[in-house]
């Protein structure tokens, strides 16, 4: 996304959002598109029983709200708020369209982002379809690895966003107690390690645990 960010810079303004602050309301008509420069934004919905369900996380370099940006909806489908203090690069959709029309590399950067988002969401859906809690968490960690993993040493990745166990619980729709128990199972197997909301994943061991050889072809 670096090329797209550079091309948009002359048309953009920076917005600082405090931790916990709302960015967009569900059903709101956005005035500007946004790219995360620092921090983490979550998209979520609220169930009929008043429970929050996290739909997606947006970290550095991510653009949102994508369905509105691409013209598929006229408003936002979810709530968006900051789970850490965040800096957002904001710009009009008209300026984005102009940059994409004039710069092929910027267009390819956006297409690559959309493709990565699509693949990540397939992993996320696969996780939600699992019947066992530990497998729900395992696939969700693979989703996070694909989207935010940074290889610190061969085969070992750190998730480049801070994740509380409550956030993981909200991602998979489990209780915090169940998530804590099953994260410990994965830790005891050497699949993951975690400390102070930082998660490290052994990619090969996670793939072996999930039993999905095809995942090894995914480019991280």
């Amino acid at each position: 996304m670096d090329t797209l960010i550079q091309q948009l810079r002359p048309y953009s303004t920076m917005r600082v959002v405090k931790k916990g602050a709302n960015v967009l309301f569900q059903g709101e008509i956005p005035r500007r598109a946004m790219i995360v420069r620092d921090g983490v934004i979550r998209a979520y919905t609220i169930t009929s029983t008043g429970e929050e369900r996290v739909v997606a996380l947006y970290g550095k370099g991510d653009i949102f709200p994508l369905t509105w940006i691409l013209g598929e909806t006229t408003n936002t489908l979810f709530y968006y708020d900051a789970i850490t203090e965040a800096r957002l690069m904001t710009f009009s959709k008209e300026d984005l369209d102009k940059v994409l029309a004039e710069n092929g590399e910027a267009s390819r950067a956006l297409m690559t982002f959309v493709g990565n988002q699509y693949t990540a969401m397939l992993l996320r859906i696969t996780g939600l379809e699992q019947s066992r809690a530990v497998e729900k968490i395992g696939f969700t960690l693979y989703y996070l690895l694909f989207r935010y993993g940074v290889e610190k040493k061969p085969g070992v990745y750190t998730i480049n966003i801070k994740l509380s166990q409550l956030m993981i619980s909200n991602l998979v729709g489990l209780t915090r107690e169940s998530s804590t128990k099953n994260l410990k199972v994965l830790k005891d197997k050497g699949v993951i390690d975690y400390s102070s909301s930082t998660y490290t994943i052994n990619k090969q061991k996670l793939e072996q645990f999930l039993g999905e050889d095809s995942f090894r072809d995914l480019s991280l």
Side-chain angles (χ1 to χ4, degrees), residues 55-70:
V55 177
L57 299 175
Y58 297 89
K60 185 173 183 179
D62 289 345
I63 185 171
F64 72 97
L66 200 56
T67 54
W68 175 77
I69 289 169
L70 297 177

Side-chain angles (χ1 to χ4, degrees), residues 174-217:
L174 297 171
T175 65
R176 186 171 182 173
E177 292 75 17
S178 178
S179 295
T180 299
K181 173 185 174 182
N182 286 288
L183 283 167
K184 187 176 185 305
V185 169
L186 294 173
K187 183 176 183 178
D188 291 344
K189 291 180 178 291
V191 174
I192 66 171
D193 197 8
Y194 49 86
S195 176
S196 300
S197 299
T198 299
Y199 284 75
T200 301
I201 300 174
N202 184 304
K203 183 172 178 281
Q204 182 178 8
K205 288 184 178 181
L206 179 58
E207 289 168 342
Q208 290 172 344
F209 175 79
L210 297 175
E212 296 290 342
D213 291 340
S214 59
F215 286 176
R216 296 173 190 172
D217 294 329

Side-chain angles (χ1 to χ4, degrees), residues 105-190:
E105 287 189 27
S107 295
R108 285 190 290 273
L110 181 60
M111 289 181 65
T112 298
F113 172 79
V114 172
N116 286 340
Q117 279 279 90
Y118 175 77
T119 304
M121 287 303 172
L122 289 180
L123 291 172
R124 176 144 162 65
I125 291 168
T126 301
L128 294 173
E129 289 178 335
Q130 302 305 305
S131 58
R132 297 173 62 217
V134 69
E135 291 177 350
K136 284 180 183 289
I137 291 174
F139 275 97
T140 299
L141 289 171
Y142 206 99
Y143 152 71
L144 293 168
L145 171 66
F146 181 77
R147 288 289 289 115
Y148 305 108
V150 176
E151 192 169 21
K152 295 298 185 180
K153 57 183 181 180
V156 178
Y157 293 78
T158 295
I159 304 302
N160 200 27
I161 56 175
K162 297 292 185 182
L163 289 168
S164 67
Q165 292 189 359
L166 178 59
M167 178 59 65
I168 292 177
S169 301
N170 288 338
L171 276 168
V172 295
L174 297 171
T175 65
R176 186 171 182 173
E177 292 75 17
S178 178
S179 295
T180 299
K181 173 185 174 182
N182 286 288
L183 283 167
K184 187 176 185 305
V185 169
L186 294 173
K187 183 176 183 178
D188 291 344
K189 291 180 178 291

